[in-house]
Amino acid sequence: YSMVLTCCARSQDKGAAERADRILMNMEQMYEEGHSDVIANDRCYSAVITAWARNGSVKAVQRSLDLLDRMEHNLKEDKPHGRPNAHCYNACIHAVAKSDLSGSQKARKCQEILQRMIDQKEKGFHESAPTLVTYSTILNACAYANGDRNDKKEAFNLAKSCFQALLESKDMKPCPSCYTNFFLVISRLLKPGEVRDMLAEATYKEASADGGKIDRQVLKNFRNASPV
């Protein structure tokens, strides 16, 4: 079953997510009917969430979050089916990033998922703790926020908050991908001017001091953010 679901996740077919969802539901039903060897593990759930993420619709976001709810329920009730981990949460964030939600809606959904990860970590479930992929995906989602001025402002505020949390974290520091996406946030969500230039230059200095986190893409996005 896991291999079939993985194929669905990689498929470009528009109906792949629905098929994967039905397979997962059938697996759980079979288990309830006495087929104890049919267990939908975390890989199965992750594959279905990934399939929905590729779907790119608003429905995909809700279905991904529904699956995440079920995984958290499995954990709480000590059920044998898939339990949440960072990869599954990240796949949900990716679903939000790929959707056509407004900038403010994307920001709020990403913030909610991030908080759920932090809450799980604080409960002792460290496999659900936010990773660099988590923060990088959120930054990218914010960078491509659409909507009006307020939508983009809310997306920028979340991106800035996430990046600051990374800088202050004792567990991890921004990777080149995080710097790349934050420069993308700066160039896409801030108007050209002194404030944008100052933030871009301060971030570049941070990247330079942070063990040389500057690669070609980081440098390219820095120049786009601060072309002076």
Side-chain angles (χ1 to χ4, degrees), residues 42-55:
D42 59 317
R43 289 186 179 184
C44 294
Y45 273 89
S46 179
V48 180
I49 293 173
T50 299
W52 277 116
R54 287 176 177 269
N55 185 274

Side-chain angles (χ1 to χ4, degrees), residues 115-188:
Q115 189 58 53
R116 288 169 74 163
M117 298 178 79
I118 293 170
D119 290 345
Q120 290 290 355
K121 179 187 176 183
E122 291 177 350
K123 291 176 183 177
F125 304 114
H126 295 283
E127 62 272 19
S128 296
T131 65
L132 286 173
V133 172
T134 307
Y135 287 101
S136 182
T137 306
I138 291 175
L139 290 171
N140 187 264
C142 291
Y144 288 98
N146 52 19
D148 60 23
R149 183 177 180 181
N150 289 332
D151 285 317
K152 293 182 178 181
K153 180 179 180 181
E154 190 163 349
F156 174 77
N157 288 339
L158 172 60
K160 187 176 180 181
S161 173
C162 285
F163 193 74
Q164 188 62 39
L166 267 180
L167 293 176
E168 297 173 358
S169 173
K170 297 179 180 179
D171 302 322
M172 52 187 164
K173 293 298 179 183
C175 60
S177 177
C178 291
Y179 280 107
T180 294
N181 283 318
F182 191 57
F183 280 128
L184 199 59
V185 166
I186 295 171
S187 63
R188 291 179 62 88

Side-chain angles (χ1 to χ4, degrees), residues 10-221:
R10 294 174 179 173
S11 174
Q12 300 296 321
D13 186 81
K14 291 184 178 180
E18 286 87 351
R19 286 198 298 274
D21 218 327
R22 287 195 298 270
I23 292 170
L24 183 66
M25 290 179 67
N26 288 337
M27 291 176 69
E28 293 181 341
Q29 185 175 348
M30 288 174 67
Y31 179 85
E32 294 298 327
E33 292 174 351
H35 299 278
S36 58
D37 58 329
V38 182
I39 296 176
N41 59 25
D42 59 317
R43 289 186 179 184
C44 294
Y45 273 89
S46 179
V48 180
I49 293 173
T50 299
W52 277 116
R54 287 176 177 269
N55 185 274
S57 66
V58 175
K59 177 185 176 183
V61 173
Q62 189 55 55
R63 288 302 300 135
S64 298
L65 293 175
D66 288 345
L67 290 167
L68 196 57
D69 287 341
R70 278 158 59 184
M71 296 185 81
E72 290 181 346
H73 179 73
N74 292 339
L75 177 62
K76 182 179 179 180
E77 299 297 325
D78 198 28
K79 292 191 173 185
H81 301 299
R83 302 179 179 193
N85 56 37
H87 183 74
C88 296
Y89 285 104
N90 291 342
C92 283
I93 293 172
H94 185 63
V96 173
K98 295 281 285 183
S99 75
D100 53 4
L101 290 170
S102 69
S104 59
Q105 290 173 319
K106 282 187 179 182
R108 290 169 196 158
K109 291 291 185 185
C110 286
Q111 180 66 61
E112 289 169 8
I113 297 169
L114 176 61
Q115 189 58 53
R116 288 169 74 163
M117 298 178 79
I118 293 170
D119 290 345
Q120 290 290 355
K121 179 187 176 183
E122 291 177 350
K123 291 176 183 177
F125 304 114
H126 295 283
E127 62 272 19
S128 296
T131 65
L132 286 173
V133 172
T134 307
Y135 287 101
S136 182
T137 306
I138 291 175
L139 290 171
N140 187 264
C142 291
Y144 288 98
N146 52 19
D148 60 23
R149 183 177 180 181
N150 289 332
D151 285 317
K152 293 182 178 181
K153 180 179 180 181
E154 190 163 349
F156 174 77
N157 288 339
L158 172 60
K160 187 176 180 181
S161 173
C162 285
F163 193 74
Q164 188 62 39
L166 267 180
L167 293 176
E168 297 173 358
S169 173
K170 297 179 180 179
D171 302 322
M172 52 187 164
K173 293 298 179 183
C175 60
S177 177
C178 291
Y179 280 107
T180 294
N181 283 318
F182 191 57
F183 280 128
L184 199 59
V185 166
I186 295 171
S187 63
R188 291 179 62 88
L189 300 184
L190 291 182
K191 293 181 179 180
E194 185 178 357
V195 172
R196 179 169 131 174
D197 289 344
M198 288 178 63
L199 181 58
E201 289 172 15
T203 304
Y204 184 81
K205 289 179 180 179
E206 189 70 42
S208 300
D210 189 17
K213 297 292 179 68
I214 301 174
D215 59 17
R216 287 185 178 181
Q217 195 60 48
V218 171
L219 186 58
K220 177 182 176 181
N221 284 16

